[in-house]
Amino acid sequence: MLSLLDLSRRIDAGDLTPAAAIDRTREAIAAREPEVGAFVRVDPAPAVATAGPLAGIAVGIKDIIDTADMPTEMGSPIHAGWRPRADAPVVARLRALGAVPLAKTTTTPFAFMDPTATRNPHHPGHTPGGSSAGSAAAVAAGMLPLALGTQTGGSVIRPASFCGVVGIKPSFRLLPTVGVKCFSWALDTVGLFAAGVADAARALALLADRPGLDLPPTGPGTIRIGLVRQDFCAAPSAAAQQALTRAAMAAERAGASVHDLALPGLFGDAFAVHPTIQGFEARQALAWEYAHHREALPPALRAALDEAQGIETQAYDGARRTAHHARRSLKDVFGDGGVDVILTYSSAGAAPAGLASTGDSRFNRLWTLMGVPCVTVPAGTDDGLPLGVQVIARFGDDGRALAAARLIEQALA
Amino acid sequence: MLSLLDLSRRIDAGDLTPAAAIDRTREAIAAREPEVGAFVRVDPAPAVATAGPLAGIAVGIKDIIDTADMPTEMGSPIHAGWRPRADAPVVARLRALGAVPLAKTTTTPFAFMDPTATRNPHHPGHTPGGSSAGSAAAVAAGMLPLALGTQTGGSVIRPASFCGVVGIKPSFRLLPTVGVKCFSWALDTVGLFAAGVADAARALALLADRPGLDLPPTGPGTIRIGLVRQDFCAAPSAAAQQALTRAAMAAERAGASVHDLALPGLFGDAFAVHPTIQGFEARQALAWEYAHHREALPPALRAALDEAQGIETQAYDGARRTAHHARRSLKDVFGDGGVDVILTYSSAGAAPAGLASTGDSRFNRLWTLMGVPCVTVPAGTDDGLPLGVQVIARFGDDGRALAAARLIEQALA
């Protein structure tokens, strides 16, 4: 994979110009893209900044995120060829930092569950996950050092886990969702894919203008890890369970304290209401598409929106209250529970075979609803396909999630 | 003015067809628009639904809200002629209810403070307020029964007060801001303008799919009103003070209990941090415009964005914490304070003379930041220009704010 930090070091040292770095990225794309299919389009002649903390860094932009110089098509013929007037703020920020938004990456239609044609770089017969399929696959295939995705259920953490890269879904609204096609305004979160935890931390620190998120060279000191198995949803694969155990043991060997943490029943309730919030908001967010282009919607999304028409407003209001109570209670889990971070599954297992399904998000949905920072780190493989583990911190504590994730990454190395 | 309820009753009774109701709206526009200037464009041949709870209701859409069939120009040459692909969800919802989004109404550029050319229907030498200038003026001039606006500081309540109409800024995100040009994602709120409180209540109940918001024919029973003078900001005009006293006395005569309510100092702190949150988010939300079209930005907005570049991330994070604490504390003000609603100023006075300024939002900003429902009701005039008073309820209690506002409206009649 292409390490953002490594590229930046070589550019800073004068060993590589930003233009040469972009050219190398292009060569990698030319070599791997035919078999992976991660891109909707690659800008043939982008402006390349010669300075800035992300100079020479080519970035993939999920194709539900507005770009002024390339169409933004939402993975759907309904928006084919659509040209936004303005860059989304996250894209404008990338440019201001010297990065090159080089390509639009594939997305499932409107970032729901109908698959893309993108293939898992570790095995072309397997899905890369979704909905941020192209962003995860492009980083995994070594075609880009950085890519933007979004998560409403599990659309950053799951594909990152399936593709064997680091993914971060930051605290809710740490990165603005302005100019990002909305599916659910209470849930949609912009996230990042990178080769390693330190690469992701550097990118997030710059994008969010919070230098403290950049990882220091020293470790996080003693860190208290609560091991959470999310028993409110169906069990993961045996390989995913082994990966979690492996990560926990590695963290202990590296000096962390690890203990089992059972979440109160309220979190099972919150997990269960995620689809109500998502569906009620999606039927509004996509009301124009549903009213005017229902037949052009892909089958899973069409069926989901058909069903969402029946969600009662009271059910939505009740779901929001449940989520609100769970968010408050989660502060106590961290505070009174004596836990700095939670360690749990990133996904139910490795990437499923075939491209018909993007896998499921059941180990991600609660955390998206809680708005807390989540980082997935590769933690082994199952029959050659990557498996990740997920590190979660309290709201606003993205730096601690990253520090603990790096500790695990290094302990597993 | 055109009453939505009155029009709907006549349509339901068969005295008026929806098409005839739209034609009458057009005639009113032809008569008053030349002197008011409330519209960016009026659809010459809109589809008119023959059924639906808002059939025959023509609606003005502030020109920062996306419409698929009319350009959306943000009040700025930077977005001149821009055609969104999709309707914003609030617009799609209007159409689903049978309403006709007939016209785009003037907005200050990007809904900030640089004025429009729109005139106050009560006196052409005075501002209608802003930023939702055209929506307030169109309803006040009897050209439309309903219009959509947005509020980030005071852009619904202030122009409604200046123009002598009812305005409601509902609870944060009761109406989705998807497809609305963002200025500040923590603050932007879609609101409504109508001739009377019951008209606004009907429209909000339908748009938000919450039938309970539609006002029942009976009154709200005994209602406890806390009179708040917002002493943390400069005093309003003598006429505004008299209007507030007049409204409080009328409410008492109508059976409400009214007592003075002093807010804890935390609310002054929250009031003071509103510009920090707004500025920090606006510089991101408008990053593309600032980077590529700074010279085309109007002077007040350009200066505000210049200044906002210097806001420290830490200051923003601190401001959000202050707002969070104040939101929690406000629940206690209502709960322990024994108050159902707050009654306060809608604006610092009547509409200022001239069109150079849209007035100031100091009596609105705290409540936008708190996310609570606010309704302004006309409460007399100052030298022929309208004055409003503002009724505020706790978050999610929009129905109570409307019920109390109608009590005051009727008591003042």
Side-chain angles (χ1 to χ4, degrees):
Chain A
M1 288 191 280
L2 293 171
S3 159
L4 183 156
L5 286 177
D6 183 51
L7 282 170
S8 286
R9 267 191 295 265
R10 291 159 67 193
I11 289 167
D12 289 347
D15 296 340
L16 195 65
T17 65
I22 299 298
D23 285 344
R24 293 211 183 169
T25 312
R26 283 190 181 292
E27 288 160 20
I29 292 173
R32 293 299 308 279
E33 173 62 1
E35 65 188 283
V36 176
F39 299 112
V40 181
R41 56 180 44 80
V42 179
D43 191 340
V48 177
T50 54
L54 289 179
I57 302 300
V59 187
I61 314 292
K62 185 180 184 179
D63 206 27
I64 62 165
I65 302 177
D66 284 353
T67 43
D69 58 354
M70 286 185 275
T72 302
E73 299 181 320
M74 323 301 176
S76 166
I78 300 170
H79 292 258
W82 186 62
R83 298 292 298 248
R85 175 65 57 101
D87 285 329
V90 280
V91 174
R93 177 82 184 149
L94 281 169
R95 294 194 207 277
L97 293 163
V100 177
L102 182 66
K104 299 304 286 281
T105 58
T106 59
T107 175
T108 64
F110 302 101
F112 195 61
M113 289 163 57
D114 303 273
T116 65
T118 308
R119 293 166 183 281
N120 193 308
H122 292 268
H123 191 311
H126 288 249
T127 177
S131 62
S132 310
S135 285
V139 171
M143 297 193 281
L144 291 174
L146 181 65
L148 302 186
T150 63
Q151 175 159 319
T152 305
S155 288
V156 168
I157 299 299
R158 179 166 96 265
S161 175
F162 285 178
C163 290
V165 304
V166 166
I168 177 163
K169 180 203 81 63
S171 293
F172 187 62
R173 294 286 156 85
L174 182 65
L175 299 177
T177 54
V178 179
V180 178
K181 182 68 175 172
C182 182
F183 197 84
S184 163
W185 54 88
L187 297 168
D188 295 347
T189 309
V190 174
L192 307 177
F193 299 88
V197 175
D199 302 299
R202 169 69 57 83
L204 186 63
L206 289 166
L207 273 169
D209 195 17
R210 282 169 172 80
L213 294 178
D214 203 2
L215 286 171
T218 57
T222 306
I223 199 154
R224 300 164 304 170
I225 297 176
L227 199 62
V228 168
R229 295 192 183 270
Q230 307 200 50
D231 295 331
F232 44 76
C233 54
S237 72
Q241 295 183 43
Q242 286 156 12
L244 186 64
T245 302
R246 195 160 52 236
M249 289 173 64
E252 276 194 320
R253 281 197 308 274
S257 73
V258 181
H259 68 268
D260 284 314
L261 180 65
L263 295 177
L266 173 60
F267 292 96
D269 300 341
F271 168 75
V273 301
H274 175 285
T276 303
I277 292 174
Q278 176 176 282
F280 186 85
E281 295 188 351
R283 89 172 184 220
Q284 295 175 71
L286 299 176
W288 178 83
E289 287 83 357
Y290 190 78
H292 296 277
H293 299 281
R294 181 176 170 279
E295 292 310 313
L297 292 169
L301 178 57
R302 193 191 318 144
L305 290 177
D306 285 345
E307 197 185 331
Q309 306 303 314
I311 299 172
E312 302 276 354
T313 304
Q314 282 186 322
Y316 171 71
D317 290 344
R320 289 209 306 172
R321 276 192 293 274
T322 299
H324 181 71
H325 293 147
R327 269 184 221 110
R328 280 201 177 182
S329 179
L330 191 55
K331 291 184 188 171
D332 299 332
V333 167
F334 283 108
D336 304 340
V339 154
D340 297 313
V341 297
I342 285 170
L343 178 64
T344 188
Y345 308 110
S346 291
S347 60
L355 300 183
S357 161
T358 64
D360 100 49
S361 63
R362 66 182 188 266
F363 290 105
N364 312 116
R365 293 199 288 265
L366 171 65
W367 314 107
T368 314
L369 182 59
M370 295 297 96
V372 291
C374 303
V375 181
T376 181
V377 183
T381 57
D382 179 14
D383 204 13
L385 285 158
L387 282 163
V389 293
Q390 186 175 200
V391 179
I392 297 164
R394 73 188 78 191
F395 178 79
D397 209 4
D398 300 63
R400 198 180 302 252
L402 286 161
R406 190 174 58 166
L407 178 114
I408 292 168
E409 179 186 53
Q410 292 177 333
L412 285 166
Chain B
M1 288 192 279
L2 292 171
S3 159
L4 183 156
L5 286 178
D6 184 51
L7 282 170
S8 287
R9 267 191 294 266
R10 290 159 67 193
I11 290 167
D12 289 347
D15 296 341
L16 196 65
T17 64
I22 299 299
D23 286 344
R24 292 211 184 170
T25 312
R26 283 192 181 291
E27 288 160 19
I29 291 172
R32 293 300 307 277
E33 173 62 1
E35 65 188 284
V36 176
F39 298 113
V40 180
R41 56 179 44 79
V42 179
D43 190 339
V48 177
T50 54
L54 289 179
I57 302 300
V59 187
I61 313 292
K62 184 180 183 178
D63 207 28
I64 63 165
I65 302 177
D66 284 353
T67 44
D69 58 354
M70 287 185 274
T72 301
E73 299 181 320
M74 322 302 176
S76 166
I78 300 170
H79 291 259
W82 186 61
R83 298 289 300 246
R85 175 64 58 101
D87 285 328
V90 280
V91 174
R93 176 81 183 152
L94 281 170
R95 294 193 207 277
L97 293 164
V100 176
L102 182 66
K104 299 304 287 280
T105 58
T106 59
T107 176
T108 64
F110 301 101
F112 195 60
M113 289 163 58
D114 303 273
T116 66
T118 308
R119 294 166 183 279
N120 192 310
H122 292 268
H123 191 310
H126 288 249
T127 178
S131 63
S132 310
S135 286
V139 171
M143 297 193 281
L144 291 174
L146 181 66
L148 302 186
T150 63
Q151 175 159 320
T152 304
S155 287
V156 168
I157 299 299
R158 178 166 94 266
S161 175
F162 285 178
C163 290
V165 304
V166 166
I168 177 163
K169 180 203 80 65
S171 293
F172 187 62
R173 293 287 156 86
L174 182 64
L175 300 178
T177 54
V178 179
V180 179
K181 182 68 175 173
C182 182
F183 197 84
S184 163
W185 55 86
L187 297 168
D188 296 346
T189 309
V190 173
L192 307 177
F193 299 87
V197 175
D199 302 299
R202 169 69 57 83
L204 186 64
L206 289 166
L207 273 169
D209 195 17
R210 282 168 172 82
L213 294 178
D214 202 2
L215 287 172
T218 57
T222 306
I223 199 154
R224 299 165 304 170
I225 296 176
L227 199 61
V228 169
R229 294 192 184 271
Q230 306 200 49
D231 296 331
F232 42 76
C233 53
S237 72
Q241 295 184 42
Q242 286 155 13
L244 187 63
T245 302
R246 195 160 52 235
M249 290 174 63
E252 276 194 321
R253 281 198 307 275
S257 74
V258 181
H259 68 267
D260 284 315
L261 180 65
L263 296 177
L266 174 59
F267 293 95
D269 299 342
F271 167 76
V273 302
H274 174 285
T276 303
I277 292 174
Q278 176 177 282
F280 187 84
E281 295 188 351
R283 90 171 185 222
Q284 294 176 73
L286 299 176
W288 179 83
E289 287 83 357
Y290 189 77
H292 296 277
H293 298 280
R294 182 176 170 279
E295 292 310 313
L297 291 170
L301 178 57
R302 193 192 316 143
L305 290 176
D306 284 345
E307 196 184 332
Q309 306 303 314
I311 299 172
E312 301 278 353
T313 304
Q314 281 186 323
Y316 171 72
D317 289 343
R320 288 208 309 171
R321 276 192 294 273
T322 299
H324 181 70
H325 293 147
R327 268 183 222 111
R328 280 202 175 183
S329 180
L330 190 56
K331 291 183 189 172
D332 298 333
V333 166
F334 282 108
D336 305 340
V339 154
D340 297 312
V341 296
I342 284 170
L343 178 64
T344 189
Y345 308 110
S346 291
S347 60
L355 300 184
S357 161
T358 64
D360 102 49
S361 63
R362 67 183 187 267
F363 291 105
N364 312 117
R365 293 199 289 266
L366 171 65
W367 314 108
T368 313
L369 182 60
M370 295 297 97
V372 291
C374 302
V375 181
T376 181
V377 183
T381 58
D382 180 14
D383 204 12
L385 284 158
L387 282 164
V389 294
Q390 185 174 201
V391 179
I392 297 163
R394 74 187 77 191
F395 178 79
D397 210 4
D398 301 62
R400 199 180 302 252
L402 286 160
R406 190 173 60 164
L407 178 114
I408 292 169
E409 178 187 54
Q410 292 178 333
L412 284 168

